[in-house]
Amino acid sequence: MARKSVDGPEGAPGGVSTSRESERKFTLGEDAALPDLTGAGRVASVDDVVAHDMVAVYYDTADLRLAREGVTLRRREGGADDGWHLKLPVGSSSDRDELSVPLADGGEPDAGSRHPGVPAALTALVTALVRVSPLGPVAELRTHREVRVLRDAEGRALAEAALDDVEVAVPEGAGEGSAGVVPGRFRELEVELLDDGDEADLDAVSEALVAAGAVLGAQVSKARRALGDPATAASDVPAPQEVGPRSTAADLVRAYTAEQVRALRRHDLGVRRGEDDAVHQMRVAARRLRSGLRVFRPLLDRAWADDLRGELAWLAGELGAARDGEVLAERLALALAALPPEVDATDAARLLQAHLAEQHRDGEAVALAALGSERYAALLDRLVEAASSPPTTPAAEGECRRVLPPLVKSAWKKLAREVAALRMAGDDDSWHEARKTAKRVRYAAEAVAPALGGQAKKFAKQVERVTEVLGQHQDAAVAADVLAHLATDRSRALQLPRSAAAAAKVGLALGALHAAQRSEVRVLRADLLDIWPEVSHGGHRAWLG
C-alpha cells in the first residue's frame, strides 16, 4: 500500500527506506462494498479496483514485547511493497513510521544473529525493546486486498482505500508468542493518505464512510488484533505511577527509574535513526539513572546499585565522544564567526572541519558499536528489572517526606564544599568536578519533586543555574584544549597550507580561537561566583530541614 514518503534520517541503517503511515481503519458488513466516495471533500474520481493477495508473517518475542509497545515487524509477500516492514509509533498520534527492506535488496535472513531469519538492519532498531530475547514468527495473516485510489479534480492521488479480507493463522515454527492467536477471519477497511493528500481529506473521506454505514474501528494493527489480549498487555516498563509525600521512598525510586529507562529506550531508537539531539538525550537519561542510584544509595542494595552505576558509566562514556563532538562543532562554529575581520580563518576553518568530521564519524561508530553489543543488551535487561523491582533496603519503606530530604541535603553539602574551594585561577578539573556534583544535586531535586512538590522544583531550578554556567565552562575549556592540540599536532601538518605565510595564518587563527575560549572560561568562573550567593541562600533549602 502506498503512503506519504518521508526522507530517511541521516545515519539510518543502510538499505532501509522510510515512509509515514497516516491512516484510519473501519469495519464494514460482511458483504458490504466500498461506497462511492466521489464528492467526499476534494475527491473527484475513484480509480478502478486493483486486487492483491498477500501473506504476511509477523515476528515478535515470546512475550510480545513489540506488540505491547505498538510496534510491528513482518515479512510480507505479494502486493506492491513486498519485503520486510517495521512499523513504529509516532508520538501520541495514530501515525506510524514504516521502515522497509525489499526482499530482493538484502532483506533475506541474517542467520548469524540472535534473530535468525530477520534482517539485522531492522532488528537493531528494536534492540531496546527485545533486549536479549530472540524474535520469531508469532502470527500469519493471509489477506485479499482490493485497492482504490482517490483522486482530486487534477488527477492527483489523495488517498487509498483498501478493503481487506484477512485470514489469521498460526505460522510455521511459531512459539509461545502465538498463544493468543485464534485462527479465523475478519474484514477491515483502511483509508491511508498519499503524498498529495492531507488530514482534511482524511476527515472528509471518513465522514462519508461513516455516513454510508462504516464504523470507525479501533486504530490498532492487524497483527495486534490477531494476537489477541496478550498483545495489549502493559509495557515491560509502564508509565510511572504518581507519588506523593506519604508514598514510600521505594515507590519514588521505582517511578523515577521507570521514567528514565523509558527515556533511554526512546532515545536509543533516535540514535540509531540519526535523529537530532538523540545522543545527548540518551546520555542524559543514562546519567540521570546513574545519579539517582548514587543519591538513593541508602535505599538500595549497595553492591547492586554500584555495579549498575558502573555499567551506566560505561554506556555514557561510549556515547560521550559523539555528543562531545556535536557540542564542540556548535561552539567552534560560533567562535569562528566571532573572530575579527583582520583574522583570516579560512584554512583554520577547513582544518577544524576535517578534525570535527573525523571526531563525529569515530564517535558515532563507537556509540553504535556499544548499542549493538551484548553488554548493552544485558544492561537493558537489568534496567527493565530495576524499573519494576529494584532491591531496596528497609529504609525505603519510609514516607517520601521523611526519607528523601536528607538524601538531597547530603548531595547539596558536597556541592557547597566544592564551590567554596573553587578559585578563579584554579585548574579546570576542580571546576568540572563541581559541575558533576551540581548535576547530581539538580537531578536529585528533580527526582524527588513529584513527591515533594513545588519547593523541590524551585530548588532544582536554582541549581540548574549552576549547572548551566559550569556546563558552558566545561565546553569552553575542552574547546581550548582541542585548539591547543591542533596547533601543535604534527600529524596535522599535511592538512596545513604549504606556504609558511599561509601556515602562519592558521596558527594565528587557532591562537585567537584558543584565547577567546580561555577568556570565556574566566568570564564563566566569575559568573558562577556572582550567582552563588543567591543560589545558596538558605531559603531555597528550607524544605530540606
Side-chain angles (χ1 to χ4, degrees):
M1 193 170 185
R3 49 189 52 83
K4 296 179 81 69
S5 60
V6 176
D7 291 335
E10 183 179 352
V16 178
S17 61
T18 305
S19 59
R20 176 65 50 82
E21 179 183 81
S22 182
E23 67 179 14
R24 293 181 192 168
K25 298 174 182 286
F26 302 83
T27 57
L28 296 175
E30 184 174 348
D31 298 319
L34 182 72
D36 183 7
L37 295 172
T38 303
R42 293 195 295 158
V43 178
S45 64
V46 179
D47 286 4
D48 291 339
V49 66
V50 176
H52 302 284
D53 288 301
M54 304 174 294
V55 178
V57 177
Y58 288 81
Y59 286 72
D60 209 326
T61 61
D63 54 357
L64 303 181
R65 293 177 186 177
L66 298 183
R68 289 157 52 202
E69 300 286 350
V71 175
T72 57
L73 173 63
R74 74 184 178 207
R75 183 185 191 276
R76 188 167 74 186
E77 295 183 6
D81 61 345
D82 58 351
W84 287 91
H85 307 128
L86 174 65
K87 295 190 179 186
L88 304 166
V90 178
S92 59
S93 73
S94 60
D95 291 356
R96 294 194 294 174
D97 277 349
E98 180 175 304
L99 290 84
S100 306
V101 179
L103 296 178
D105 295 330
E108 288 300 335
D110 178 7
S113 74
R114 184 187 293 117
H115 315 292
V118 187
L122 297 183
T123 59
L125 294 170
V126 294
T127 296
L129 302 181
V130 303
R131 309 190 300 278
V132 299
S133 295
L135 292 164
V138 294
E140 180 173 307
L141 273 61
R142 304 163 189 162
T143 303
H144 176 74
R145 168 168 288 175
E146 296 183 351
V147 180
R148 293 171 175 83
V149 176
L150 314 181
R151 300 184 182 276
D152 67 6
E154 284 72 43
R156 292 174 297 195
L158 304 177
E160 277 187 351
L163 186 56
D164 292 337
D165 287 297
V166 183
E167 179 184 358
V168 180
V170 176
E172 182 178 351
E176 295 178 15
S178 298
V181 173
V182 178
R185 294 178 178 275
F186 64 87
R187 202 167 198 229
E188 183 175 80
L189 172 64
E190 293 179 357
V191 178
E192 184 170 352
L193 287 179
L194 301 180
D195 279 343
D196 291 320
D198 57 30
E199 286 297 317
D201 296 317
L202 195 54
D203 289 340
V205 172
S206 297
E207 290 175 7
L209 285 169
V210 171
V215 177
L216 186 64
Q219 304 305 301
V220 298
S221 70
K222 290 182 175 65
R224 204 171 186 186
R225 181 172 175 177
L227 289 165
D229 290 343
T232 62
S235 164
D236 280 349
V237 188
Q241 295 183 343
E242 291 187 7
V243 291
R246 296 182 181 276
S247 301
T248 69
D251 290 337
L252 186 280
V253 170
R254 281 189 290 270
Y256 180 75
T257 305
E259 179 183 8
Q260 299 309 318
V261 172
R262 286 168 66 89
L264 187 143
R265 298 202 309 176
R266 183 170 62 253
H267 296 303
D268 167 290
L269 179 60
V271 171
R272 296 176 194 273
R273 297 185 67 187
E275 294 177 1
D276 291 342
D277 206 38
V279 173
H280 175 217
Q281 295 302 329
M282 187 176 183
R283 194 182 186 197
V284 167
R287 284 180 162 179
R288 284 181 180 273
L289 282 164
R290 187 168 182 261
S291 178
L293 289 169
R294 177 160 180 171
V295 171
F296 299 138
R297 185 181 284 168
L299 310 179
L300 298 164
D301 178 87
R302 178 69 174 267
W304 174 87
D306 287 349
D307 186 57
L308 191 52
R309 287 188 74 245
E311 290 302 284
L312 287 165
W314 162 78
L315 176 59
E318 297 299 280
L319 296 171
R323 172 55 185 166
D324 293 344
E326 292 174 349
V327 173
L328 185 60
E330 293 171 3
R331 171 169 283 275
L332 291 181
L334 293 173
L336 281 165
L339 286 175
E342 61 268 21
V343 177
D344 184 353
T346 304
D347 290 325
R350 290 174 183 159
L351 179 63
L352 287 171
Q353 185 178 25
H355 172 75
L356 294 172
E358 180 182 353
Q359 182 175 344
H360 177 76
R361 288 192 301 270
D362 291 348
E364 187 178 66
V366 169
L368 291 176
L371 298 192
S373 68
E374 292 293 324
R375 182 176 183 179
Y376 175 63
L379 172 59
L380 288 168
D381 252 359
R382 295 181 63 184
L383 290 175
V384 169
E385 182 180 0
S388 59
S389 54
T392 56
T393 64
E397 296 310 310
E399 292 183 349
C400 287
R401 59 178 181 160
R402 302 188 186 283
V403 173
L404 298 180
L407 303 183
V408 181
K409 187 174 184 178
S410 176
W412 165 261
K413 287 182 175 179
K414 185 174 188 296
L415 174 61
R417 290 193 300 270
E418 291 181 358
V419 172
L422 293 175
R423 298 292 179 267
M424 282 293 294
D427 59 83
D428 293 337
D429 288 345
S430 60
W431 290 77
H432 182 43
E433 288 302 313
R435 175 200 179 212
K436 291 193 291 185
T437 303
K439 276 193 169 185
R440 192 174 304 125
V441 176
R442 172 187 161 190
Y443 291 165
E446 290 172 345
V448 304
L452 302 184
Q455 288 184 308
K457 290 181 181 178
K458 291 178 181 178
F459 175 66
K461 285 293 184 184
Q462 287 296 323
V463 181
E464 185 178 7
R465 298 170 65 191
V466 176
T467 61
E468 288 298 315
V469 171
L470 290 180
Q472 291 294 319
H473 175 280
Q474 175 66 7
D475 294 343
V478 169
D481 287 346
V482 169
L483 291 163
H485 173 71
L486 286 175
T488 58
D489 183 5
R490 294 185 179 275
S491 69
R492 295 284 173 184
L494 294 177
Q495 298 181 30
L496 294 174
R498 293 185 180 275
S499 73
K505 288 182 180 179
V506 171
L508 179 63
L510 292 176
L513 290 168
H514 179 272
Q517 296 304 303
R518 290 311 308 180
S519 175
E520 186 169 353
V521 164
R522 292 189 292 274
V523 169
L524 288 162
R525 290 183 178 189
D527 288 347
L528 186 280
L529 298 180
D530 284 344
I531 68 171
W532 182 250
E534 182 181 350
V535 171
S536 60
H537 189 279
H540 300 309
R541 306 191 309 280
W543 63 283
L544 295 177

